[in-house]
């Protein structure tokens, strides 16, 4: 039931939409922007766009290992700091024209994007209400991180066709505003995650705790087998006792019959 998802989860979706609304469109239009603003050829601009993803491929597991040892509160704070650092990177690409700017900017973008990604996707299970709604949570998350970029790409297409001279600068500044929105949403979210470190993220074991139908069937089957075994043992004892009593009765009858004949 989606209505059982806690309020921090919906804020989590919002900041994810804001962050991916900045990065996914940039991967689509960034090569053209770098070529026009810094007079690059296509291959150089495309190679620069690979820096953030290549950085994630190298540093992602190491950052994820560190993230596992920090609290949820600190994760949200570090995620907000990383998102805040995105804003000056996009602003620098929009306002500075020095040839070295894109190299520094894309390298910094790769580091901050690695930190943000490792923390962001590691928080999915933490924001579920009791650990048994991971599927629906990931479904909403996939919707949010794709819906925002889809709408924004349409807006960028309209903007570039309407304002040809300053379209690239406007797009980059708007992407910077999206990352600032993401960082701002981390502030109230950090105040709602105090109890998430103690919240279990795995399913309870017994059927009485989580009402799992499969576990309930297993409990019933075990009870049925135990009852059957007890009934079988009782039946064997009763049969043995009956045979013993029958043998004693037969012996007593034989003795009585022998005494009568004598």
């Amino acid at each position: 039931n989606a209505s059982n998802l806690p309020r921090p989860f919906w804020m989590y979706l919002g900041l994810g939409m804001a962050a991916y609304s900045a990065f996914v469109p940039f991967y689509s239009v960034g090569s053209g922007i770098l070529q026009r603003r810094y007079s690059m050829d296509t291959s150089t601009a495309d190679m620069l766009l690979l820096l953030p993803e290549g950085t994630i491929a190298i540093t992602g597991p190491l950052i994820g290992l560190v993230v596992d040892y920090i609290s949820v509160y600190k994760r949200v704070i570090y995620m907000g700091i990383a998102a805040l650092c995105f804003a000056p990177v996009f602003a620098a690409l929009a306002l500075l024209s020095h040839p070295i700017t894109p190299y520094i900017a894309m390298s910094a973008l790769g580091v901050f994007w690695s930190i943000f990604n490792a923390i962001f996707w590691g928080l999915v299970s933490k924001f579920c209400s009791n650990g048994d709604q991971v599927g629906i949570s990931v479904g909403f998350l996939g919707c949010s991180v794709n819906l925002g970029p889809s709408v924004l790409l349409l807006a960028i297409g309209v903007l570039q066709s309407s304002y040809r001279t300053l379209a690239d600068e406007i797009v980059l500044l708007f992407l910077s505003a999206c990352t600032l929105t993401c960082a701002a949403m981390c502030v109230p979210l950090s105040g709602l995650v105090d109890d998430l470190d103690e919240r279990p993220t795995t399913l309870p074991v017994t059927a009485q705790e989580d009402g799992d139908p499969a576990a309930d069937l297993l409990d019933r089957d075990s009870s049925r087998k135990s009852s059957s075994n007890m009934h079988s043992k009782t039946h064997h004892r009763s049969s043995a006792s009956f045979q013993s009593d029958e043998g004693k009765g037969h012996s007593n009858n034989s003795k009585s019959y022998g005494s009568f004949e004598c």
Side-chain angles (χ1 to χ4, degrees):
N1 190 358
S3 62
N4 292 334
L5 292 171
R7 185 174 62 175
F9 174 77
W10 302 108
M11 299 182 65
Y12 171 70
L13 290 189
L15 68 88
M17 178 184 292
Y20 275 79
S21 294
F23 276 92
V24 175
F26 181 72
Y27 285 135
S28 299
V29 302
S31 178
I33 291 176
L34 293 178
Q35 292 176 48
R36 290 187 293 269
R37 282 193 52 76
Y38 298 99
S39 302
M40 290 183 176
D41 54 31
T42 304
S43 60
T44 304
D46 291 343
M47 287 295 294
L48 279 177
L49 282 181
L50 288 177
L51 273 177
E53 298 297 330
T55 305
I56 292 177
I58 297 173
T59 63
L62 298 177
I63 296 175
L65 181 63
V66 175
V67 167
D68 285 337
Y69 289 93
I70 61 178
S71 65
V72 178
Y73 173 79
K74 290 183 179 179
R75 295 185 201 185
V76 175
I77 295 297
Y78 294 152
M79 185 169 59
I81 293 173
L84 185 63
C85 293
F86 297 149
V89 173
F90 287 120
L93 291 174
L95 302 175
L96 302 179
S97 58
H98 195 280
I100 198 64
T101 301
Y103 295 93
I104 298 176
M106 297 305 293
S107 299
L109 200 63
V111 174
F112 300 138
W113 187 231
S114 298
I115 297 173
F116 182 89
N117 253 317
I119 298 176
F120 179 78
W121 291 103
L123 286 173
V124 178
S125 61
K126 292 292 184 180
F127 287 113
C128 299
S129 59
N130 53 11
D132 59 350
Q133 294 177 303
V134 177
I136 187 65
S137 301
V138 174
F140 278 120
L141 184 59
C143 176
S144 66
V145 299
N146 286 281
L147 180 62
S150 300
V151 174
L152 194 58
L153 279 172
L154 294 175
I156 289 174
V158 174
L159 181 64
Q160 288 180 336
S161 62
S162 301
Y163 303 93
R164 295 183 180 276
T165 54
L166 295 175
D168 293 340
E169 289 80 358
I170 294 174
V171 168
L172 289 170
L173 290 176
F174 188 78
L175 298 182
S176 178
C178 289
T179 59
L180 287 175
T181 303
C182 175
M185 294 183 70
C186 290
V187 177
L189 181 62
S190 64
L192 300 175
V193 297
D194 294 335
D195 62 331
L196 294 184
D197 287 311
E198 291 78 20
R199 179 176 296 172
T201 57
T202 57
L203 289 175
V205 177
T206 62
Q208 290 80 6
E209 292 175 333
D210 63 352
D212 186 8
D216 192 22
L217 289 175
L218 290 175
D219 290 344
R220 291 179 183 177
D221 185 58
S222 299
S223 299
R224 190 181 298 114
K225 289 181 179 179
S226 176
S227 177
S228 177
N229 291 335
M230 291 179 63
H231 178 72
S232 177
K233 291 179 180 179
T234 305
H235 177 71
H236 286 312
R237 291 195 189 104
S238 300
S239 299
S241 176
F242 176 77
Q243 290 176 358
S244 176
D245 292 342
E246 185 180 11
K248 292 179 180 179
H250 181 72
S251 175
N252 291 334
N253 289 338
S254 298
K255 292 178 180 179
S256 299
Y257 183 73
S259 174
F260 174 77
E261 284 186 343
C262 290

